[in-house]
Amino acid sequence: MSIRAVYIIPSEDAEIPIFCKYFPSVEVRCKSRFGQFYVKIPSEREFVKLLFIETGIKNGDVFVEERDNCEKEFSNPAFQLKTDFGILWPVIKIQHKKLIYCAITFEENFKINQQSGSMKLAFMASVTTCLEALNGLSQHVDNCTTSQEKIDRVELLRYVNCAFPYGRPVCCNPSVALNFSSTSWKGKVKQPAWNPLQYRGKSQVIFSIKEEIRCIQCNQSKNANPIDICGTVTCTSDVEGVSPEISVVLTNLHENKCGLLVNACVTSVETISASSTRLRFHPIKSQNLCLYKMKTVFPPPIIATFCMKVKEDIADITFKLKLQSGVRNGFQKLEAHIPLNCLITAVKPKCSQGSLTVASKNKLIWNIGTKLPSKTLEATLHAKAKLKRVLEKSSEQTITDSYFVDKEKQIVNANALSETVKTEYATVIFKILDYVYSGFKIDPQFVIVSTSSKVNRSVSCECYSGVYKIWNENTENVIDDLLEEQFERVLECN
Amino acid sequence: MCDSEYLTILDDITLFCPGFVPEATSDIHCILDQLLKSLVEDESSAPKKLNLIYFLELKSNILCEEIGDVELVLATLKNVCNSSSGNQALLGQCLISSTTILLESSEKFLGAEFDRLFSQHVNLLLDYVNQSNCSENVYVRSVSADSLIEVELCYPLVLKPCLENIYALTVKELSAAHQQYTSLLSLMMKHSSASSQFGSPLWNTYPQLVFKSKFLGENNSAVVSSVYSNTQLVSFLVDQLPFCNPEGVVWIANHIIGMLLHNTELRASCRVLKPFFFSCVYTFNCAIFYLLLYLEKVFGRELFEEEEHNLLLRQLLLNCNHPSLSNSFQLVYLELLSDYLGRMCHQLKCIEDIRMVLTNNFDGPDIQLKKFILFSHILKHKNGSSKFLLQITNKIRREIKHNKGFKCKSVFIKALYKLLSDYEDVSHEEVSRLVVLASTEDISTTPFIVHFVRQVQTSFPASPLPALILTSLVNTYTQPNEHLSLEALSFVIDIFQEAVSNRCSIEGLKSILIYLYRHILCGVICKSLSWSLGHKMLKLCYFMMKEYNTTNFFYELSNVLQGFISKCENDDVQDRAQLYFCLLQSLSDKKLKAVLQGPRQTLPLTDDSTFHSQFYFQKLDKPILYLCKENQSTSSDETFKYIVESEEDIITAYKNFIEASSSCKKLVLKISIKLSQEYENLDCLEALAIFMESSENWGKVEPVLVGHYKEDNLSVHQSNDFVYTMICYPHYPLPTQLKVRAEFSLDNICHICPLSPFAIEFFDFFCVLPICGDDVKMEFFFEDLWKTIEDEFQSVVLLECSEVQARAFVKQKFNTFIVGENDKGYHVGIYLPPGNHLLMRYYFQSSKTIVKFVTDYIYVLSWTNALFKEFA
C-alpha cells in the first residue's frame, strides 16, 4: 500500500509534470523485492509522454496498437506503461479540472515474477488507497491554487509529506493533514486523529447542497427521457471540543437512504421516517458529507426541443424550451449552446427573449436571461445561420501535397454542406441558486452539535445542469429503450 | 559524478533553493559541504531549510558517495532537529528525510558502519516515540512512529524486541499521534503473528541493531506470547478505529484482518469487526469499501448473514453507478463488483439486482466497456445473453459518431472481441452489420476495424467472420458515394487492401477495380490525388498482380492502370502505373508472378497437405536440398598447341589464345544435389533449377537446370547420375560464398527455397595449364612463362620439413599440375581461370624445402601462402 511516485500534469500540451515527488525508501523496497524484475521509473519527460499516449491525450484520434489492441486487458483507471526498462504497472490516474493526478504504486502482494497486468485490480489494495490519496491531493490543489501556473511546488511537498509520508497515505483530507503539523494537545481525553487541532471560538456549521441534473431529451424515444438527479452535501464546520459529533436530518430523500453514500466520517446512518434519514458524523473542517441520488423518476425541469435543418449553406434552427411549473423561475444562468462542425459566417436570430451570439466561430450561444415569462414559462429561438465548411488538412498529406489539398478543397466545397454539417444535439446550461429540484432538504433546526448548544447553523443550496442534451429532431434515437427489456428476457429464459 | 548529473543537481538547486548558489565546482563533496553548512546556519529561515532538506533527500543518492557522507548528512539533520525544537514541521521533515536517506543508502553501503548509523537512527526515532503524551511534539512523535513503520516494512520484525514497549506506549498515548502508534503496533503485530508471510528484509540482510535497554520490555517474550493467545489486543486495535482517519482505519483494519487470517487462534475473534462493517458500509470511500469486500471475502461465511451480503451488494451497486462519483472511482467499484459477483453469481437474485447498473445513458466509453465485461462475465452460459451483449455493443457503436476521439472506437472493437472470445453463439451476420455501420458512420474507425479483423483471424483461424466483414465492407464501399472526401478515400483503400490481402473473391476484386476506375479515376478526383494516395491505390493493384491470377480481372486492372496513366497529374504515380501496365501487358501471368515475388510460407510436411492456391509462389523457409562439391574443377576443353618457332612468340600467342578462348575463362565445378533429411519422403521435384548469386564484383554463375528430380532415381543411381556441372564466370580467381536458391514445382505449384550458401575455395580454381605438348615442351613453356610473369609478383616460402615430407606434400596437393621434375625439385604450373597463373618451383633439401612461386595476380600470393600454413 505504498506509492512510488506521484505526479501532477497539465492535461494538455505538457512535456513535463508541474509537480513530481518520488519516495526513495519505497523505491529501495521495490528494487529489493523484485530484483531482476524491478522496473525503474522513467524520466519525468518520458513518463508524461508514455502516459499521454496510453491515455489517449496524445494520438487520441488515431489507432495505437499498444493501447487499442483488442486483447489488451482493460484495467482503467490503472494503466500499464511500456518503458525501456519494462512494464510499469499499476499507474493510477485521475483527472480533475484540467490537471492529471497520477501515481505509480508498489503492490507488495505481487509475486516477484508476476506478469504485469495479470493481477486483477480487485486484489490490489494499493489501487483504492492510491485513488483516495490522489483525490485528496486534487482537493488540496483546488483549495490553494487558482491556476495551474501558480502551483507552489514546496507547498505541495509539505502537503505530500504530511498526507502520505514515505508514500503511505496517513491522512488525505487536506484540512486535517496540514493542521497536523501544528497540532498541540493538552488534556486527559483521547484526541482523535481526525481533529488534531482543537477549535476555540463560537461553533458554526455550514451545509451546502449542490444538486446536479443530467438529462437527455430525444423526441424519438418511446420511454421517458433519461434523467439523473444527484447531489453533494458539503459540510464546513468549526466546532469546539476534543471529539465532537454532529447530527443532521436529511429530508425528502425519496425511497429513503437507497441512493445515499456517506463520507467515512459518518458514524451512523439512521432511518427516521419514510423520507428522512439522520446522519451522525465527526466534523472535519471541510468535507463532502454525503452524496445522494434520486431514484424516483422526475420529469425534466426544462423541456426543450431542437430542430436544425441545413439547406445548401444555410442552417435553419428552431429551439424551444419550457420550464416545468413549480420549478423556481429565477436563474443565475440560463443558456442554450448549439455547436456546429463548420464556420458560422453570419447569423440572423429571432428570439422571444435574450440574445444570440456566436462563440469561437462555430458555436451559437443563446443567452436566455434570468427569468422566463411568468405566464407561458416558455422561450423560443428561430435563427438562420450562414455556414462555411471547415477544412482540416489530412494528416496523411505533406507540405509538398498542398497543391492537392487545394484541389481537394475545390471538390469538397462542391459537395453540399447539408450532407457534411451535422449537429446532433444542443445543450442547456442553467444554474438556480437557493433551490434544489428534487426537494432534498436539510433543516438547520435539526442540526445538533454534541459539544455545544449555541451553534451558528446555515444551509445553502443550488441546482445546476450537468449533461443536459437536447437531441436534434432529425437525428436517430440515441436512447436504448430495449436494453433493460432484453436483460429481463435473458433472466426469464434462464 | 558525470556532467549530466551535475547539471541536474544545479537545476534542482535552483528550483528548490532559489537563494543558494554553490561555488563553481563540480566536486560533489564541496557541493554537499556547502549545502550542509547552509542548513546549519542560524540565519537561514525555516522555509529555506525545508527546501534544502527536500533537495538533500531528492539527491542523496548522488550526493552521498561514501558512508561517511551519509553520516555527515544524518548528523547535520540531527543538529537541525536539536536547534529548532519549536518548529514541528521542520523537525518532522528532518526525521522523514534522514530515515529516507539512511534506507536508500542501504543499497550502496552495507556493513558495520551502516549498522552503527542504523542503530543510532532507530534509537533516535524510538527516543521520540518514547516521549508519549508529550504535548509539545505530537507531530514529531507521529512522524517518528511513521518512520519506524517504514523501517519495519524494510526489515520485517526488526523492531520485535520493542513490541511490549510500543504496545504500552500506544495504550498510554492520548494525543492525535496515537493513530501512528496504533498503525506501528498493528504492523508489528501482523509481522509477529506470521513472520514467514511477510517477505525478506532489504537486500536479504538484517542490519545489526542494538536497542537502548529502555526500549526493550521487561519480559518481552512473555508479553509477546500472551499477545498471541489474547484476543484483547485485536479488540484494542478495533477500539482505536473510531479515533483514526479513514487512511488510518484502512491501514489498521487491514492488518487486523491479516492477523486474524494468519493466526488460527485469533480467527474466531473475527466478529469484533462486525460493528466496523456496519459503520462503514454506506461509505463512498473506495479504500474502506475495498476493505469491507476483503473482509467479506475472507470471513464472509463466519461473519455475514444473507442480509449483510445484500446490503453490501446494494451499496456496491450504488457506488458503481453513482453520478456524483468520478469515472475513476466508478471503474474501480465496477471492478470490485465484478469480483464480488464472480464469487456470488450463483445467486440469481444478485444478477437481478445488477439491472440498476444497466440503465445509465450518461456512461462514458470506459464505463460502458467495464460494464460490458462485467455482463459478459456474469451472463456466461445463459441463453440469449450474446444477443443482449450485442445490443450493448450496438449502443457503444452508436456513440462512435458523436465522439470524435479514439475511445469509443477502441471500446467498440474490444467489446466485440470480448464477445467473440466468451460466446460461441454470437451471430456473425450481426457482428458484421455492426462493424459495417460503425465504419460507414465514421470512416476513421477503419484502422480499428482492420485491427479487429486481423485479431479475429489470429485468434480464431477457422472463423468465417473476417471474410464476412471484409466482403460486406467491400460491397458497401464499392457503391458510388459522391460525398467521399480524399481523406475518407484513404481509409476506403485501406479496407480494400485488407480485403485483397485476405483472399478476396474474384467478384470482389472486380468490383473494387470497377469502382476505382469509374468513381475515383474519373476526371477531377484523379487529378487531385496526392502522391501518397496515388501510391496507396497502385500498391493495391500491385498486390492483385502479385497474388491473384490476373487473367480473371485483366480488363478491369488494365483500365485502372490506364486511368492513372492518362488522368493522374502526378508524374511519379503515372510512371509507376506505366510500369505496372507494361508488365501486365507484356508478361504472362506466370512470368508476372516470377517477377513480383511471393509471400513467405512454410511448406507443411503432413501427408494431407494441400495447396488451394493456383496463383501463389510458395516460399519455403528451410532448405529442401543441399549441394555437395564432387571433385576438383575440370580443365578447359580448349588447349593451346605448343609449336617451337620463336620463344617470345609462344607466350604472346598463348596469351592471345587465353584472351580469345571462352572456355578458358570459365570455372567449371561438379556438384551433386541431395534432399535434406527433413524432406526425404518427398516423391518428386519437378522442374528443379538451382540459382546461384554472387557479389557483382566476383562474377556470374549460371543456373543449374536439373529438371525432374525423383526419389526412385536417387535410391537406384549413385552420385554420377546426379552430378551436375556448375559454370562460373569469375572476374578474378578469388574464393567466395554463393547464395543459392532452388526453384521447383510440387503438386503444380511453384516453390522457391533458399539453400545453404555454396563456398568456392581457392583450391577450386586450380586447373592444368591449357596447353598441349610433351614434357620437354611443357618444361620450356614453364620456363618461358615463369620469365614472363616473374617480374609481376613473386614470393618464397621455406618449408621446415624433411625432403620426404615435402615431396609427399607436393604429390598429394599438386600432382596433376607438375610440369617438370628433377632431383632437386619440382616445377608446378597451375592455370587459374579466368586467365591467371600460379607457377611454383620446389627446391628440396634434407631438412627444408624452398618454394619460389610467381603469379600474375597479386592476391594469389596471399592465398598461396595459406596453402603452406601446415609447415609454418
Side-chain angles (χ1 to χ4, degrees), chain A residues 54-56 67-68 73-79 93-95, chain B residues 320 326-332 334-335 362-374 392 396 399 403 406-412 414-415:
Chain A
E54 186 61 32
T55 52
R67 178 187 66 202
D68 303 319
E73 197 75 26
F74 180 75
S75 57
N76 291 10
F79 294 90
K93 185 210 102 173
I94 64 167
Q95 191 159 351
Chain B
C320 289
S326 72
N327 268 10
S328 302
F329 284 84
Q330 283 190 44
L331 285 166
V332 168
L334 280 166
E335 185 76 32
F362 303 97
D363 289 339
D366 281 351
I367 292 189
Q368 288 193 42
L369 180 60
K370 204 82 166 183
K371 284 184 179 178
F372 181 90
I373 294 168
L374 173 73
I392 300 183
I396 298 170
E399 286 176 24
N403 292 296
F406 76 102
K407 270 208 173 151
C408 273
K409 296 163 197 163
S410 179
V411 163
F412 173 65
K414 280 179 180 174

Side-chain angles (χ1 to χ4, degrees), chain A residues 10 12 18 99 141 145-153:
Chain A
E12 284 164 12
I18 50 176
L99 286 178
V141 173
T145 55
T146 48
S147 69
Q148 62 184 51
E149 289 82 23
K150 286 184 183 171
I151 279 183
D152 183 348
R153 197 182 163 113

Side-chain angles (χ1 to χ4, degrees), chain A residues 28-60:
Chain A
V28 170
R29 275 197 279 139
C30 188
K31 209 185 280 184
S32 168
R33 170 144 176 78
F34 291 116
Q36 56 167 319
F37 298 100
Y38 163 76
V39 180
K40 194 179 156 188
I41 297 174
S43 70
E44 292 176 18
R45 194 174 292 271
E46 183 68 10
F47 180 83
V48 172
K49 191 177 141 198
L50 293 171
L51 182 80
F52 275 19
I53 292 174
E54 186 61 32
T55 52
I57 293 167
K58 255 187 194 162
N59 298 340

Side-chain angles (χ1 to χ4, degrees), chain A residues 3-5 7 22-43 81 83-89 104-107 110-116, chain B residues 61 104 107 202-203:
Chain A
I3 295 170
R4 291 171 64 186
Y7 304 84
Y22 299 102
F23 297 95
S25 60
V26 182
E27 208 54 27
V28 170
R29 275 197 279 139
C30 188
K31 209 185 280 184
S32 168
R33 170 144 176 78
F34 291 116
Q36 56 167 319
F37 298 100
Y38 163 76
V39 180
K40 194 179 156 188
I41 297 174
S43 70
L81 299 188
T83 70
D84 292 342
F85 316 108
I87 292 175
L88 206 59
W89 156 262
I104 307 167
T105 68
F106 169 42
E107 180 62 51
F110 268 166
K111 283 176 193 161
I112 287 172
N113 58 352
Q114 191 144 17
Q115 283 289 309
S116 296
Chain B
N61 213 13
E104 197 183 10
E107 192 184 352
L202 285 187
W203 321 114

